[in-house]
Amino acid sequence: MDFEKLTELIIELEVDDIADAVQEALDEGKDAFDILNSLTIGMDEVGRRYEEKEYYLTELVLAGETMKEAFKILRPALADSDKSEDKVKIIIGTVKGDNHDIGKNILGSLLLSSGFEIYDLGMDVDENRIIEKIRETGAEIVALSSLLTMTVEQIKVVHEALKDVGLRDKVKLIVGGAPLNMELAKKLGADDFADDAVDGVKHIKRLAGIE
Ligand code: B12
């Protein structure tokens, strides 16, 4: 099972075949992160085809399903053997108005396998739920995903709401998603940004003072 084939299975939306293909690649000893990378390349191509109007919403939905099937197999294999003893608590979620959760789920799995304690609020999460969860758990880090240009402003809403209730300097806010970059993230009030989930874990470790 080569990486190009895995990328192709995502692009061709082979929802019934992807799990077996990922399993085969793992059985051959391929690195789980390289497999993840080949799947992400496929998702990027799906996005490009959608932009070019070669694919429509049905295909986007199916691509999402295909990625989820792949991830069911891949998730345990991404587990890090070098588990940290410190259980830093992290709240993750996708911002209000946004129903993309694949990237957020990948980040969550990687964080979990790196020894963090994760509270996943899901998608379409507003500032009040985040505040509630911080108070309930004492989480030190909030990691938010925003995939839509339209919803990145929600990061600012969360930042302001945290300030209003006096929690802003008690938590670190890290964000990610394609419409964001470090400059925009900081402008919106976040402390940090990372391009992808693997880098996200490194940044979060730094924010938590682990590395
Ligand atoms: C699958 C998909 C969907 C699925 C989502 C399924 C699901 N459960 O997530 C469905 C069909 C629901 C969907 C709907 C829509 N979508 Co859509 N979708 C995509 C697609 C093809 C892939 C997204 C994805 O999962 N990528 C794979 C993951 C692994 O990547 P990722 O999310 O970027 O995450 C990585 C990094 O960004 C980072 N990361 C992400 N979050 C975080 C958080 C932190 C803290 C950190 C550190 C890192 C991090 O790490 C991740 C892994 O490395 C993208 C195109 C693309 N290539 O991105 C369009 C895309 C995001 N969608 C788009 C659009 C327009 C829509 C719709 C508005 C379409 C419509 N007309 O209805 C709706 C919006 C619905 C809503 N309210 O949210 C646009 C957004 C354009 C924009 N900039 O605003 C895109 C870019 C397509 C395009 N090229 O036009 N979509």
Side-chain angles (χ1 to χ4, degrees), residues 12 22 148 181 203:
E12 299 301 328
V22 171
L148 298 171
N181 53 49
H203 282 234

Side-chain angles (χ1 to χ4, degrees), residues 131-201:
I131 290 169
E132 216 172 89
K133 205 67 186 176
I134 296 172
R135 287 186 172 143
E136 182 194 319
T137 61
E140 297 154 51
I141 294 173
V142 176
L144 295 178
S145 188
S146 174
L147 269 277
L148 298 171
T149 309
M150 215 171 62
T151 58
V152 294
E153 275 293 319
Q154 286 302 319
I155 293 164
K156 190 158 186 201
V157 173
V158 172
H159 164 70
E160 294 292 341
L162 289 174
K163 251 183 15 193
D164 288 347
V165 298
L167 281 173
R168 187 60 190 92
D169 47 8
K170 300 206 167 45
V171 293
K172 297 281 184 209
L173 179 58
I174 177 167
V175 296
L180 291 159
N181 53 49
M182 187 62 92
E183 197 190 341
L184 180 58
K186 295 241 159 123
K187 219 167 117 191
L188 293 165
D191 297 301
D192 204 356
F193 160 86
D195 260 327
D196 61 43
V198 174
D199 220 30
V201 173

Side-chain angles (χ1 to χ4, degrees), residues 2 8 13-14 16 31 36 39 64 75 86 95 111 139 181:
D2 53 32
E8 198 182 305
L13 316 166
E14 301 289 356
D16 295 329
D31 184 81
L36 178 61
L39 300 173
R75 190 180 179 137
D86 301 292
V95 297
L111 287 171
N181 53 49

Side-chain angles (χ1 to χ4, degrees), residues 37 45 49 65 71 78 131 137 143 145 166 196:
N37 188 41
E45 175 60 16
R49 291 189 185 192
E65 292 301 316
F71 212 65
L78 288 167
I131 290 169
T137 61
S145 188
D196 61 43

Side-chain angles (χ1 to χ4, degrees), residues 36 40 43-48 50-51 57 60-65 67-68 97-104 106-107 123 142-150 174-179 193-201 204:
L36 178 61
T40 308
M43 288 302 268
D44 285 344
E45 175 60 16
V46 170
R48 195 196 62 78
Y50 177 74
E51 253 169 40
L57 199 56
L60 276 194
V61 174
L62 206 51
E65 292 301 316
M67 191 73 179
K68 282 194 171 169
D98 190 339
N99 289 329
H100 293 84
D101 69 350
I102 299 170
K104 184 264 296 167
I106 293 176
L107 179 72
M123 305 181 275
V142 176
L144 295 178
S145 188
S146 174
L147 269 277
L148 298 171
T149 309
M150 215 171 62
I174 177 167
V175 296
F193 160 86
D195 260 327
D196 61 43
V198 174
D199 220 30
V201 173
I204 286 170

